[in-house]
Amino acid sequence: MQRRDVLKASGLAAAGSLAGCNGLFETQSLRTVPLVEDRPDAVYVPSHVEGMEMIGMGTKGRRAVGLMYSYPHRFWTVTGTRTEKVSLREEDSVHLMATVWDVETKTVLPVDAGVTVDVRRDGESVAKRSPWPMLSQNMGFHFGDNFALDGDGTYSVVVDVGATSLARRGSFAGEFADPLSVEIPFEYEQATRDEITFEKLPDRKGSRDALSPMQMDMVPLSTAPSAGDLDAMTTATTESGDATFLVAVVEDDDGPYLAVSPRTPYNRYVMPLMSLSATLTRDGETVFDDALPAAIGPSLDYHYGTTIPSYEGGEELTITVDAPPQVSRHEGYETAFLDVPAATVTL
Amino acid sequence: MSQRRRGISRRSFVKSAVAIGGASAFAACTNREQVDVPQGTDDLSTLPQRQHAWNDALDRDDHGNVVAPRHRVVLLLDYVGEGTPSDDEREQVEHALGSLERAYARGNDGLLVTVSYSPRYFSRYDASPAGVELPEPEALAPFEDPDLDRPDAVVHLASDYGQVVLGAEQALRGEHESLNGVEMAASFDGVFEVAARRTGFVGRGLPAENQDVEGLPDGDAVDEDAPLYMGFKSGFEKAQASEDAVTIDAGPFAGGTTQHLSRIRLHLEQWYEQDSRYQRVAKMFCPAHADDGRVEGVGDNLGSDSGMDECPVPHDSARSKGMVGHSQKSAEARRDGSPRIIRRDFDSTDGGEAGLHFLSIQRSIADFAETRTAMNGTDVSDGSAVGTRTNNGILQYMTVERRGNYLLPPRAHRSLPRPDPAA
Ligand code: HEM
């Protein structure tokens, strides 16, 4: 037992010193651009735009998992209305991004259970963590974090996706209820990473606008439906905290269903992990006043909604944001959707 | 030391003697610790009837909190024989355990030991233990997929001294004729074989000393004062059940309790490198504790009470703060104002990974399962900004890898019990 430990230790020390050299080269090319000064409390164009590369995908049943990477970069986690900037570590090699979608409808599934990513090499775990649910301007909702790899080489990335307990509508009913696991090979080479586009935006940075969504053949984006896409009894739109709220009342078997679909401006991405409540009044009388749980469906996508007692037309709806979206933010989103006052629309 | 190879192998990881085990580790500890460990009593009839009655034998800190023994070895044991154990084997096991009790006094500076038995053990008799629900282990959250432990028995050894847990382990394995100047009348040799060995530590300074493992950032993220890797004091008097409350009160196993043992892998790079102190306090205790700055350092200032009365109900924090604390959720499982489990958990470097062996005792396994359900916070995340793991206590930072359930009988029936020892 003991002798084995000793042997193991000496073998590893040798491997470790080689990797030390790799590490040195790796850190030199990390790219950083200073943050935009005077960021507005709203969505803004970040200091630079980075491309990303597809690593691969895995499919099980109706769900597909796509894995992408880019340069490691700063982002912000959100707890309550506070943001916390996550800076680069010198050893970070990539920003890994995973996205999960329904293959039949190409709907991105911001599953509440999240994902766990285990980066493995030669049967050993190199890094394992649960990446943050995130929003970025070029990719919308995904799970992501910076990872430190062990230099160039062949990795295998195991992505575990949790079972969802979100309310599911239409053809999603009963689906996605099991965890799933996919393994995606990753041939990593720093030189290849460094070919990913990286462009500073000296003229546009800081302006109230957003980067365009990335176009990828294989991977759908978390784009929310526009009013015209919905078969609804009524739709209305309001804005608050730089978020747009599309409200729809749709006919369901058990009565009218009230859906509130908050989305980002410019790119129309869904906004998961909010606490929303709604008060519906008709001629000054309260018809409905309660929390709106998150739900997902093939036409409404990710939204917040519930069945309401009745809908006649002309009702007033007040949407209260009890907690803003707790998704981590890539640059350009970290100052928006934090202070989101109540908003009222007439349906 | 300074290399940055990722993975288990990146670290020139120095295992503690307890983690390594064996004769030379025992010798090294005995040399280094230089203590006279007090011998145990000659009159075993004076020992408590409850194997799990540890608290009276343990030290208390300035606030009256029980001070957990610092070093641990847990042995998962398989019964060697076919079918059911014989009376001779029963006697051999009892002699071995009795010898340990004569060798070392009960207490932090001596030894505490318990033996517990799995559902699989009782299935040798095609029976379940009389009067006790002892289910096979199972996954306890929709997002976990643990391997299930099915040894026959589990021995838990605890002491402030590494040499004591190692000495006791070696003696049970039949490798010491005598221990601390006391003859070993018997060992487990020929009755049990060791299927798995789990080790660890808890208490000020030890996590910081053992932080060179996978799952923690390089460097010295863990506070020198922290008793556990996550950086906070745990096991406050008022946040633990009483030993009376976890004791089985009727039937042939009255005076016993049930034990759950899980192995949890910790992923604390995000915790230390990405979360702020505010977020750590909010996620471990509750957002109100973080807002009001109620936790200083590792939390000694809390005294004997983690202050759960001052946290709003989890649902309110979830809706209005978008996050909820681990303790705040777990406290939802209290019965008549008291927690239902006693946590006797400890950190570990087993496998070169930061881990936690969550060992807890409770009157029934259902008490554990319901406490764990409260900690999952599924009802809290449904309909709020809190995710299944995101901002949901400490769930993002841990993966449950193994689970096992055991009956921890009263002392009188601790050696290879029949399913109905009264019959
Ligand atoms: C990953 C490792 C864990 C760590 C570091 C941890 C840490 C803590 C801390 C610091 C507290 C508050 C301080 C105290 O009063 O003790 C606490 C409370 C508690 N934890 Fe954990 N915990 C962990 C896992 C678990 C697990 C797996 C359970 C199982 C259900 C659990 C159940 C509880 C309970 C019941 C309380 C007391 C709640 C009350 O006040 O009623 N913990 N824990």
Side-chain angles (χ1 to χ4, degrees), chain A residues 1-2 5 12-13 15-17 19-20 75 77-82 84-86 89-91 112-116 118 122 124-133 145-146 148-150 162-163 165 179 273-277 291-294 322-324 326, chain B residues 3-13 15 19-21 24-25 142-144 197 214 217-218 265 267 269-270 273-276 278-279 283 290-291 318-323 353 378 381-391 395-399 401:
Chain A
M1 162 78 132
Q2 264 197 312
D5 282 326
L12 299 179
S17 48
F75 59 90
T77 62
V78 178
T79 37
T81 53
R82 288 172 182 247
E84 178 68 26
K85 182 171 162 215
V86 171
R89 301 174 302 173
E90 85 181 69
E91 68 265 36
D112 43 334
V115 304
T116 303
D118 191 3
D122 303 332
E124 256 186 27
S125 177
V126 173
K128 182 173 178 180
R129 53 177 63 189
S130 303
W132 303 93
D145 204 343
N146 297 331
L149 303 178
D150 206 0
S165 57
L273 294 173
M274 299 175 88
S275 295
L276 279 192
S277 13
L292 290 183
D322 304 303
Q326 302 294 300
Chain B
Q3 295 104 3
R4 290 208 168 262
R5 187 180 161 89
R6 310 302 298 182
I8 296 171
S9 51
R10 121 182 98 132
R11 322 262 185 169
S12 46
F13 161 60
K15 274 183 163 180
I20 295 168
S24 43
F143 47 84
E144 69 176 37
R197 178 174 191 274
E214 190 57 29
D218 290 337
R265 196 174 154 189
H267 318 285
E269 281 159 339
Q270 292 166 322
E273 295 179 330
Q274 302 183 347
D275 284 309
S276 63
Y278 175 92
Q279 289 168 316
K283 290 178 183 182
D291 285 332
R319 285 218 54 90
S320 63
K321 295 283 178 181
M323 86 185 123
E353 299 167 346
T378 310
S381 58
D382 284 354
S384 81
V386 170
T388 307
R389 277 186 282 210
T390 310
N391 291 355
L395 295 175
Q396 181 179 344
Y397 312 96
M398 50 182 270
T399 325
E401 304 219 307

Side-chain angles (χ1 to χ4, degrees), chain B residues 312-325:
Chain B
V313 295
H315 182 78
D316 288 356
S317 298
R319 285 218 54 90
S320 63
K321 295 283 178 181
M323 86 185 123
V324 56

Side-chain angles (χ1 to χ4, degrees), chain B residues 228 230 232-236 238-240 262 264 266 284-285 306 308 326-327 330-332 334 338-339 341 343 345 356 358 368 371-372 375 394 398:
Chain B
L228 289 168
M230 293 191 78
F232 295 106
K233 191 162 167 169
S234 177
F236 292 102
K238 298 212 177 71
Q240 294 274 45
S262 55
I264 297 176
L266 300 173
M284 185 59 87
F285 295 91
S306 54
M308 287 301 113
H326 163 68
S327 318
S330 304
E332 289 292 284
R334 289 184 180 192
S338 292
I341 69 176
R343 291 165 284 135
D345 53 305
L356 180 106
F358 196 85
F368 179 79
T371 303
R372 175 64 209 207
M375 169 178 164
I394 55 178
M398 50 182 270

